[in-house]
Amino acid sequence: MDLDRDRERLRDTFNRAAGLYQRARPDYPDELFDDLIAVAKLAVGDRLLEVGCATGKATLPLARRGFRLTCIEPGPQLAAAARHNLSTLDVEITEGRFEDCRPAHDGQFSLVFAATAWHWIDPAVRYALAWRALRPGGHLAFWDATHVFPAGGDPFFRQIQDTYDEIGEGLPLGTAFPRPGELTEQTAEIQASGLFEAAHTRHFDWERVYDTDGYIELLNTFSGHIAMADWQRERLYTEIRRQLGRRPGGAVRRHWGAVLHVARRRDEQQPGKRKAAA
């Protein structure tokens, strides 16, 4: 399918950002990890499986809390960066696609999780693969870090849309600018899998301030910007530098949002024998 090929093409772009990813991408809030651990009833020493660890932004906080992690990462340069960043911790990095891997300890994990990576996994198989990897009573968790627009937020992001339109990368007509707490929840999809029971959903939001170079580094870790033609990036980044250069300090405030989904494994179910969607 064209959508499958497009997803694969964009997913592969992240490997080109391996040198920037750990530095440029935001850290997730500590409260998110506290919430996840409490809801999934995780104990120190439990085995966790991370899908799409990139350079270890979500891996590091959990490994430091005493969990044993196996991570699957399709990008060879990202996997190499993760091994470097996590070399002193109890973390094993497997290079490959979740759809193709059968990790050691399959069926014994207390948690399968994906941080800003679940949407890159083939939706036809991702729930079944997570179910298979978990022990009875285990949990699946996923969340994305995405842009939210609070009242009183930085006006820069609306102002720069004219340049995105000019280079042919504008938002579709009618695209909403979600406020904190308004991000889409995927509870219905979890229930419809027949393999998991939605156990917990919680919205988080936080703010980071970027100088001009830091903000452009962040953009260079986004698949859509990596995939742009050179002339598009040059025009966009020139305008960003121009607009932010007129500000004291050249800084921009970006608000981030995430929806933490935690789902409990239905132990009576088997992949391929799904219940009807709720």
Side-chain angles (χ1 to χ4, degrees), residues 17-70:
L20 295 175
Y21 203 96
Q22 192 73 8
R23 179 175 70 249
R25 283 293 180 112
D27 293 329
Y28 301 109
D30 287 340
E31 294 81 4
L32 186 152
F33 295 107
D34 294 340
D35 204 38
L36 169 60
I37 291 166
V39 173
K41 298 181 174 60
L42 299 177
V44 170
D46 279 352
R47 293 190 182 277
L48 315 184
L49 175 64
E50 182 177 9
V51 179
C53 68
T55 56
K57 294 297 292 191
T59 324
L60 190 61
L62 289 167
R64 284 175 171 168
R65 294 173 192 230
F67 301 109
R68 296 177 292 173
L69 284 98
T70 297

Side-chain angles (χ1 to χ4, degrees), residues 13-22 55 78 220-222 226:
T13 64
F14 291 112
N15 198 50
R16 290 152 54 185
L20 295 175
Y21 203 96
Q22 192 73 8
T55 56
L78 289 168
N220 280 328
T221 69
F222 293 160
I226 298 170

Side-chain angles (χ1 to χ4, degrees), residues 142-162:
F142 56 88
W143 65 92
D144 288 335
T146 191
H147 200 173
V148 292
F149 303 84
D154 198 318
F156 166 78
F157 302 103
R158 295 180 188 272
Q159 295 164 357
I160 199 66
Q161 291 308 308
D162 287 344

Side-chain angles (χ1 to χ4, degrees), residues 27-275:
D27 293 329
Y28 301 109
D30 287 340
E31 294 81 4
L32 186 152
F33 295 107
D34 294 340
D35 204 38
L36 169 60
I37 291 166
V39 173
K41 298 181 174 60
L42 299 177
V44 170
D46 279 352
R47 293 190 182 277
L48 315 184
L49 175 64
E50 182 177 9
V51 179
C53 68
T55 56
K57 294 297 292 191
T59 324
L60 190 61
L62 289 167
R64 284 175 171 168
R65 294 173 192 230
F67 301 109
R68 296 177 292 173
L69 284 98
T70 297
C71 303
I72 300 174
E73 170 51 50
Q77 293 180 46
L78 289 168
R83 290 189 187 98
H84 174 77
N85 295 334
L86 304 162
S87 60
T88 63
L89 298 165
D90 193 353
V91 179
E92 176 187 354
I93 310 294
T94 298
E95 186 181 316
R97 299 166 70 249
F98 185 44
E99 295 91 332
D100 302 328
C101 290
R102 192 74 184 256
H105 315 295
D106 206 31
Q108 301 174 39
F109 293 103
S110 298
L111 177 73
V112 173
F113 73 99
T116 317
W118 189 244
H119 60 286
W120 295 113
I121 309 304
D122 185 351
V125 298
R126 59 191 177 194
Y127 286 99
L129 293 175
W131 189 98
R132 185 185 69 186
L134 288 166
R135 63 167 175 76
H139 289 78
L140 166 67
F142 56 88
W143 65 92
D144 288 335
T146 191
H147 200 173
V148 292
F149 303 84
D154 198 318
F156 166 78
F157 302 103
R158 295 180 188 272
Q159 295 164 357
I160 199 66
Q161 291 308 308
D162 287 344
T163 306
Y164 280 96
D165 290 338
E166 176 191 327
I167 65 173
E169 295 288 342
L171 296 170
L173 288 175
T175 298
F177 289 81
R179 292 178 294 185
E182 292 182 349
L183 295 174
T184 301
E185 298 180 4
Q186 293 174 256
T187 304
E189 178 185 284
I190 292 168
Q191 296 291 126
S193 75
L195 301 172
F196 290 91
E197 181 72 31
H200 182 73
T201 304
R202 181 178 171 186
H203 291 250
F204 294 85
D205 62 270
W206 66 103
E207 177 186 294
R208 279 199 61 182
V209 176
Y210 298 88
D211 63 19
T212 303
D213 289 340
Y215 184 63
I216 288 175
E217 281 194 343
L218 173 68
L219 295 182
N220 280 328
T221 69
F222 293 160
S223 60
H225 291 73
I226 298 170
M228 283 181 184
D230 289 344
W231 73 266
Q232 292 175 305
R233 279 194 304 274
E234 182 178 356
R235 173 69 185 98
L236 175 63
Y237 293 172
T238 296
E239 181 61 19
I240 288 172
R241 291 186 184 281
R242 188 188 72 82
Q243 290 195 25
L244 295 184
R246 296 184 300 183
R247 295 180 165 197
V252 60
R253 292 183 297 115
R254 181 177 173 118
H255 286 78
W256 292 90
V259 185
L260 171 63
H261 297 85
V262 184
R264 186 180 303 106
R265 183 185 191 267
R266 291 183 184 267
D267 295 333
E268 74 277 10
Q269 291 296 293
Q270 296 288 334
K273 298 180 179 180
R274 301 183 178 183
K275 290 184 177 180

